[in-house]
Amino acid sequence: MAFAAVAMAVAGIVIANTFTVLVAQRTRTLALLRCVGATKAQVRRSVRLEALVLGVVASLAGIGVGLGIGQVALSVIGRRAEGVPAPTTVPIDVATILVPLVVGILVTVVSASGASRLATSVAPLAAMRPVDAVVSERSRRLRPIIGWILTGGGLALMVGALALSLASGEGGGTFELTLLAGVLGGIVSIVGVVMAAITIVPALGRVIGRLAARVGGAPGRLAATNAVRNPRRVTSTATALLVGVALVTMMSTGAAMAREQMGRELDEQFAIDVVVGADSLSPATVDAVSDVDGVAATLLVTGGQLDVTTPNRSAIATVFVADPARIGEVLATAPSDWDGSTVLADGYLLDADGPVTLADGTSLDGAYLPGLPDYSVLVSPQVAAGLDIDSPAESLWIALADGADPVAAASAIRDAVSETTAGTDAAAPRSPAERSRRPASRRCSTRCWP
């Protein structure tokens, strides 16, 4: 919704600039209409009617194009990504059609209202001159003042959003309020800059014009003179360019933020790239997997079942024992300052830092760590030395190199495991009775986490 609001605001600015330029180009035509008897209300209605027709046609076209792109995207997902829970067709209801249609029409008509007032703000004979020559002195003075006030207010809102975001990292503030303040501040500041551009653009034009005159000679002086001869027209052109660049920058920034946020969420949910598990893993298997192209680091982790009690619940958890000095090589969310004296638990067992009581009654400080397997805890070898862990097993945690193909790497890891366990007892299938006596399979299994 935030990006939709920003997109509507930017679209409104573009529409307003477009209609302002159109009215400026039609000044003589509108003046002739006034001379032959057209009233101000009729001229105003003509501009608004044009905006209404444009809004209806453009909104309907946008709805059709949007539905078409959505359907194409669903078709590609259905063919290329089997198993993804996505509908086969774009769901369409009354709100899907009416909401964008009404919003598009309102934004277009409201954005063109300024141009409609400009078309009727001059007398018939005065309108025969360029529009800049007949703009009221009050508008010249009031517009920049309002623009600078809005710019300052928007910047203040964005600074407040930044401060609120920093406070939320320490437990205060909320994400929704921060996002609302930031988006509102951005919209207000953009509108302010557009209104104040009548004082910014000519000033910059004069400064740059002096440099162009020195470098370019007579053509440079002529260009500099023409650039500041009609300040409002130059400002309108520069503002349209500013809005376009701002829109592209906003979309690029939004896409980068979305990629970063998605990567961070995936790291928290799937902190381990690949896991190879078995009752025991031979050194040959570990070495073979470590030599696979695309594997950046491996860590042999022991583990088993243990009763664990936390403020959230009591449960039989999987206990993983790992070296604190190396866990960061394979676990994306591992804290860099973990010294092994605390127990790291997943979100099902511990949703906030708190005590963790192990089966022998030992109570240790616990910390929530995203990315661990469900109902599992991570302890150091020193803590595990005094524990009686049931059904001990080994697993090899693997981190893939940046840029590695995860599908190819997972396939190569499976091949390496199969080649080093083929013909051994670890690779031999067992009877149902043997499997029922021991929950952990003696065959090596490879699991890939996206």
Side-chain angles (χ1 to χ4, degrees):
M1 293 299 294
F3 283 108
V6 173
M8 288 295 98
V10 174
I13 295 173
V14 174
I15 294 171
N17 283 330
T18 301
F19 271 90
T20 300
V21 173
L22 289 176
V23 169
Q25 291 176 339
R26 299 173 183 174
T27 299
R28 297 181 183 277
T29 302
L30 296 175
L32 289 175
L33 290 176
R34 294 293 309 280
C35 289
V36 297
T39 64
K40 289 185 177 182
Q42 290 175 327
V43 174
R44 184 184 300 110
R45 282 199 301 270
S46 69
V47 177
R48 290 180 176 176
L49 181 60
E50 180 180 1
L52 177 63
V53 173
L54 180 63
V56 172
V57 174
S59 297
L60 290 175
I63 293 172
V65 172
L67 293 176
I69 294 176
Q71 186 58 53
V72 171
L74 290 178
S75 301
V76 172
I77 292 174
R79 294 179 180 179
R80 300 292 181 87
E82 297 181 0
V84 175
T88 57
T89 59
V90 176
I92 301 176
D93 53 19
V94 177
T96 305
I97 303 298
L98 287 184
V99 171
L101 179 62
V102 172
V103 171
I105 294 174
L106 286 178
V107 169
T108 305
V109 174
V110 172
S111 300
S113 60
S116 66
R117 289 192 301 270
L118 179 64
T120 61
S121 61
V122 293
L125 294 179
M128 299 298 291
R129 296 174 295 174
V131 68
D132 286 90
V134 295
V135 175
S136 65
E137 188 67 22
R138 179 183 178 185
S139 176
R140 290 179 183 273
R141 294 180 178 179
L142 190 60
R143 181 185 175 100
I145 294 175
I146 296 176
W148 285 114
I149 293 175
L150 291 177
T151 303
L155 291 176
L157 277 174
M158 288 189 288
V159 171
L162 179 60
L164 193 59
S165 176
L166 296 177
S168 65
E170 300 175 357
T174 61
F175 172 76
E176 292 79 7
L177 184 59
T178 301
L179 182 61
L180 177 61
V183 171
L184 182 60
I187 294 175
V188 171
S189 61
I190 288 177
V191 174
V193 169
V194 171
M195 295 186 67
I198 189 63
T199 60
I200 300 174
V201 174
L204 290 177
R206 284 190 290 269
V207 173
I208 299 176
R210 294 191 186 98
L211 178 62
R214 293 179 180 178
V215 175
R221 288 193 296 272
L222 181 61
T225 302
N226 290 332
V228 297
R229 177 175 296 172
N230 198 322
R232 294 186 66 87
R233 189 168 299 174
V234 172
T235 300
S236 297
T237 304
T239 302
L241 180 60
L242 180 148
V243 171
V245 174
L247 180 61
V248 173
T249 304
M250 182 197 70
M251 298 303 296
S252 301
T253 304
M257 291 173 58
R259 286 196 300 269
E260 182 179 353
Q261 180 67 20
M262 184 177 296
R264 184 161 50 246
E265 291 180 358
L266 288 175
D267 285 341
E268 291 182 356
Q269 189 173 1
F270 305 102
I272 312 169
D273 293 336
V274 184
V275 175
V276 176
D279 288 349
S280 62
L281 292 169
S282 65
T285 299
V286 176
D287 293 340
V289 171
S290 300
D291 292 337
V292 169
D293 290 337
V295 172
T298 60
L299 180 63
L300 188 62
V301 178
T302 60
Q305 306 296 314
L306 190 68
D307 291 332
V308 173
T309 302
T310 67
N312 288 25
R313 58 173 53 87
S314 296
I316 299 177
T318 301
V319 179
F320 293 108
V321 184
D323 182 4
R326 295 197 56 208
I327 188 63
E329 299 177 6
V330 295
L331 185 63
T333 56
S336 58
D337 58 349
W338 184 47
D339 58 2
S341 60
T342 59
V343 177
L344 304 179
D346 80 297
Y348 285 99
L349 296 176
L350 199 65
D351 56 7
D353 294 352
V356 175
T357 303
L358 304 179
D360 61 353
T362 302
S363 181
L364 298 173
D365 292 335
Y368 162 64
L369 182 65
L372 284 177
D374 297 343
Y375 292 97
S376 66
V377 295
L378 185 65
V379 299
S380 63
Q382 292 79 7
V383 173
L387 302 178
D388 185 14
I389 300 176
D390 296 331
S391 305
E394 291 181 337
S395 58
L396 187 65
W397 291 7
I398 304 167
L400 300 181
D402 294 338
D405 185 351
V407 177
S411 178
I413 291 172
R414 291 190 183 97
D415 294 340
V417 172
S418 299
E419 292 172 358
T420 54
T421 57
T424 66
D425 180 62
R430 295 175 296 155
S431 65
E434 290 176 315
R435 289 196 294 268
S436 65
R437 288 197 301 268
R438 197 171 186 83
S441 172
R442 289 191 60 82
R443 293 178 296 157
C444 291
S445 61
T446 306
R447 177 174 50 178
C448 300
W449 296 7

